[in-house]
Amino acid sequence: MKASNKFWRVAALLLLLVGMTGMGAAELFNPPDAGTQEWLYTEHTSLVFGVDVDSEGNVYSGSDDEEVHKINPDGTQEWTYSEHTSTIEDVAVDSEGTVYSGGQDNELNKIDSSGEKLWRKTYNQPIRSLAVDSEDYVYVAGDFNQVQKLDGSRNVVWEYFADDDNNGIDVDSEGNVYVGGDYEEVIKIDSGGNEVWSYTGHSSRVRDVAVDSEGYSYSTSGDGLHKVDSSGEQVWTFTEHEGIIYPVDVDSEGNTYVADNGGFGDDGLVRKIDSSGEQVWTYSGVASRGQDIKVDSSGYVHIAFRGDEEVHKLGFNQPPEFDSVSSDPEPPQINRNVSYSAELFDPDNASELSEVELQLEFDGEQVYTDTRSVSGDSDSTSWSDVFVPEEEGQLDATFTVTDTEGDSTVEELNYFLEDTPPEINIVQPENQTYWSYDIPYEIEVDSNNDAVPDQDFE
């Protein structure tokens, strides 16, 4: 991958929506937001090729204009670094805010948190991809067929020789490195520089690589997105893309974010794919294919597109959702108090639950409304004895849950109450004994001629 520091707790849950008429707890589907552009950074004067984001939400971009820019979380410029002499292919930031940049001038630059150059290291071919680990070692990959691990003073700790050009690199929390390139493979290298395994499931050049906290790696190419376990075995392949998938990033829940070129058309697509390989959403508000993509700890997606000179910050806050809504009794009955309950949750960490409202209408007239405060990622609430329907009619309950970002989801329970006379069904029991009693009898036999000697009596 082209950078490090990947976070995002997202847990998106998609369920099936069915209309409820005369039913209790519902199966629910609450579609996620299609994506909102939080800001658009336009201070570069040529194409942007690399982006990274630190733990504070600061964004770093490298461009064909030979500059590295630090962008504040609100989209304003913090500083500009102009020591490169050609296109900057990638940037990476460490835990101290130190930035590494490299590109077609064959140079790796180390820049301090104020935008000042610390040192420069020269290679004999362009640098394509950079990564930084938790101990602030930097990893360099490019057209020189090598992967290098450098310390903070640019000393080579180890180097690994690949069979062809490298395009994407990432590193896990144990210092294992994952690299892919024109050789159509993903290679895992341990913290000492030794090859662990080589994944050969791709059929074209590997464009980018990412690794999650569990050691699963994700790699992109023209044949899709591949998920590979820590032993180098394929878990799944996502092939519902158009054209070629280029950049990839992964959050702390194992959701991946990729961008393709829309089938070689003018418009590309950004896709979120869950940890099982299922597509969650697509975002089509882009000019062309994505060049680099990063997700921050608040769930914002930062992306550079090939067709413009901008950095885009996209918000994908998912609305809160209902686990269930129900009535008691179910269904409601005439001349009986009805109560309601709701279980709800917020599927991501971009927001939390804020409030839930119940509105009740009978034959189109509002008869009850109440709003409750809720909080956290999940909560539940109930409304007891809110209404007694006294006659036949339509009873509609509307539940609205809202999160701290102001996004909301609505669910309804709809019932038609009929005034049906009660019925009495008499069931005749068969072969049932309810009581028994023994009655003593005394039999007298006279001495007339009708008597039968030795006759038994019952």
Side-chain angles (χ1 to χ4, degrees):
M1 187 153 193
K2 291 190 174 180
S4 57
N5 303 324
K6 297 170 290 292
F7 307 91
W8 196 17
R9 177 177 172 271
V10 175
L13 173 64
L14 298 178
L15 304 173
L16 174 66
L17 173 64
V18 295
M20 293 299 297
T21 303
M23 297 180 66
E27 291 183 81
L28 307 174
F29 168 71
N30 302 303
D33 195 341
T36 302
Q37 185 162 272
E38 300 293 323
W39 48 250
L40 183 65
Y41 181 78
T42 61
E43 295 301 316
H44 283 288
T45 58
S46 190
L47 301 179
V48 179
F49 285 89
V51 294
D52 199 11
V53 58
D54 65 22
S55 59
E56 302 298 322
N58 299 297
V59 181
Y60 305 83
S61 56
S63 169
D64 191 41
D65 63 11
E66 305 173 4
E67 293 183 346
V68 176
H69 291 195
K70 179 178 180 180
I71 308 167
N72 295 313
D74 62 1
T76 58
Q77 185 183 103
E78 177 68 18
W79 50 250
T80 298
Y81 177 80
S82 306
E83 295 293 323
H84 281 279
T85 59
S86 188
T87 300
I88 300 167
E89 293 280 349
D90 202 13
V91 293
V93 58
D94 69 16
S95 61
E96 301 297 325
T98 303
V99 182
Y100 297 87
S101 57
Q104 294 180 14
D105 59 5
N106 306 346
E107 293 182 346
L108 174 68
N109 284 227
K110 182 175 182 179
I111 310 164
D112 70 17
S113 59
S114 300
E116 299 297 325
K117 183 174 70 176
L118 295 175
W119 50 250
R120 174 183 292 137
K121 183 177 177 63
T122 302
Y123 292 84
N124 59 9
Q125 293 289 331
I127 296 169
R128 299 296 182 188
S129 190
L130 301 170
V132 178
D133 68 18
S134 58
E135 297 181 355
D136 295 338
Y137 288 99
V138 60
Y139 300 83
V140 186
D143 291 353
F144 41 86
N145 298 6
Q146 290 176 315
V147 177
Q148 284 191 345
K149 177 179 180 179
L150 306 179
D151 64 18
S153 299
R154 63 187 155 184
N155 299 308
V156 177
V157 179
W158 54 251
E159 54 187 0
Y160 174 88
F161 292 87
D163 292 335
D164 207 336
D165 295 345
N166 300 296
N167 297 321
I169 192 170
D170 202 8
V171 57
D172 66 22
S173 59
E174 302 297 322
N176 298 300
V177 179
Y178 304 78
V179 63
D182 289 356
Y183 40 88
E184 303 180 2
E185 298 177 9
V186 176
I187 299 170
K188 179 178 180 179
I189 308 165
D190 68 20
S191 59
N194 305 298
E195 181 176 323
V196 179
W197 49 251
S198 177
Y199 172 73
T200 60
H202 284 284
S203 59
S204 61
R205 69 175 65 177
V206 176
R207 302 287 182 161
D208 201 6
V209 179
V211 60
D212 67 20
S213 59
E214 301 296 323
Y216 291 97
S217 62
Y218 306 83
S219 50
T220 61
S221 71
D223 60 18
L225 170 68
H226 294 217
K227 179 177 181 178
V228 177
D229 67 20
S230 59
S231 299
E233 298 297 324
Q234 183 183 100
V235 179
W236 49 252
T237 301
F238 176 83
T239 58
E240 297 176 26
H241 61 292
E242 299 180 29
I244 299 172
I245 300 179
Y246 288 87
V248 59
D249 199 7
V250 59
D251 65 30
S252 60
E253 301 296 326
N255 302 297
T256 48
Y257 305 82
V258 298
D260 59 42
N261 62 355
F264 303 97
D266 293 331
D267 297 326
L269 290 173
V270 180
R271 304 174 190 267
K272 177 181 177 179
I273 301 162
D274 68 19
S275 60
S276 298
E278 299 296 324
Q279 183 169 281
V280 180
W281 48 248
T282 62
Y283 177 76
S284 58
V286 301
S288 65
R289 73 167 172 91
Q291 186 67 31
D292 202 4
I293 190 169
K294 295 297 178 294
V295 185
D296 68 20
S297 58
S298 298
Y300 293 105
V301 178
H302 307 81
I303 187 165
F305 296 107
R306 185 82 176 190
D308 59 31
E309 302 169 356
E310 301 157 345
V311 178
H312 302 244
K313 181 178 181 178
L314 306 178
F316 291 91
N317 177 57
Q318 293 180 248
E321 303 184 13
F322 289 98
D323 266 331
S324 66
V325 294
S326 60
S327 69
D328 182 24
E330 193 284 304
Q333 300 174 13
I334 295 174
N335 293 323
R336 284 191 62 182
N337 248 315
V338 60
S339 301
Y340 290 92
S341 62
E343 295 185 0
L344 39 138
F345 69 98
D346 194 279
D348 59 28
N349 70 339
S351 61
E352 293 186 347
L353 298 171
S354 177
E355 63 181 29
V356 60
E357 179 186 59
L358 171 65
Q359 289 189 358
L360 200 63
E361 292 186 354
F362 189 76
D363 278 347
E365 180 180 347
Q366 184 171 295
V367 294
Y368 181 84
T369 183
D370 182 60
T371 301
R372 305 280 179 88
S373 294
V374 288
S375 61
D377 293 331
S378 63
D379 210 337
S380 62
T381 190
S382 60
W383 297 264
S384 300
D385 300 336
V386 299
F387 181 65
V388 180
E390 298 179 348
E391 59 184 352
E392 194 172 76
Q394 180 70 34
L395 182 62
D396 298 319
T398 302
F399 304 81
T400 305
V401 58
T402 305
D403 65 17
T404 52
E405 291 292 314
D407 291 326
S408 60
T409 299
V410 176
E411 186 57 41
E412 295 184 353
L413 289 178
N414 305 309
Y415 303 91
F416 184 77
L417 280 58
E418 294 185 274
D419 188 7
T420 304
E423 297 181 357
I424 299 176
N425 295 319
I426 300 176
V427 180
Q428 177 66 42
E430 297 180 0
N431 301 322
Q432 300 291 323
T433 300
Y434 292 92
W435 52 266
S436 64
Y437 187 75
D438 295 332
I439 302 176
Y441 288 91
E442 183 177 329
I443 300 175
E444 295 182 359
V445 180
D446 60 20
S447 60
N448 60 30
N449 293 331
D450 293 334
V452 179
D454 300 325
Q455 181 175 352
D456 293 330
F457 295 91
E458 293 183 353

